[in-house]
Amino acid sequence: RFYYNTEKLLSDASYNFIWQLMRDTETGPNRIKGRLPEHTVVAHKTGSSGVNKEGLTAAVNDIGIVFLPGGKHFFISIFVTDSKESTETNEKIIADIAKAAWDYFSKKAE
């Protein structure tokens, strides 16, 4: 609803601001963007929890829109929860899932 904004839930200024902010996000470079081709445009928002005293990470996530060559795009949200893995491993899980989605939707867009 927010991406297309056909219901005008956001003013034009707010719409442009949020999408520019999400496209320029520098956090989480090893998450959705981690295994995608260089220069792929991704408008996304990352999130993370801390690690509790038992070594459990409640959440490592990334949600966004990935823009494919030729003007198509896909929406993706990946949440790794209740993990005892390292941050690097959790981010690799996200990157691997995003890459699989990229491969699927890239072929479909051809």
Side-chain angles (χ1 to χ4, degrees):
R1 291 174 67 187
F2 285 106
Y3 178 73
Y4 296 108
N5 203 34
T6 54
E7 299 168 48
K8 295 296 183 190
L9 298 171
L10 299 171
S11 68
D12 288 342
S14 293
Y15 176 86
N16 292 332
F17 173 76
I18 191 121
W19 290 113
Q20 186 64 47
L21 190 68
M22 289 179 68
R23 279 190 302 273
D24 293 344
T25 294
E26 294 181 8
T27 59
N30 298 320
R31 295 183 189 185
I32 289 176
K33 294 175 87 172
R35 295 196 52 221
L36 299 183
E38 191 174 355
H39 305 299
T40 298
V41 175
V42 179
H44 64 123
K45 175 66 179 96
T46 61
S48 300
S49 71
V51 178
N52 70 16
K53 61 185 175 186
E54 288 82 30
L56 188 72
T57 302
V60 177
N61 47 59
D62 203 354
I63 182 171
I65 302 170
V66 178
F67 295 87
L68 299 163
K72 302 242 179 198
H73 61 274
F74 65 91
F75 299 92
I76 188 167
S77 63
I78 306 166
F79 295 81
V80 178
T81 60
D82 297 335
S83 176
K84 289 203 173 209
E85 301 296 336
S86 67
T87 298
E88 293 78 18
T89 298
N90 291 329
E91 288 183 334
K92 184 177 182 316
I93 291 166
I94 292 171
D96 289 347
I97 293 168
K99 177 66 165 81
W102 170 271
D103 292 345
Y104 174 81
F105 288 113
S106 292
K107 289 192 186 315
K108 197 172 180 182
E110 291 177 351

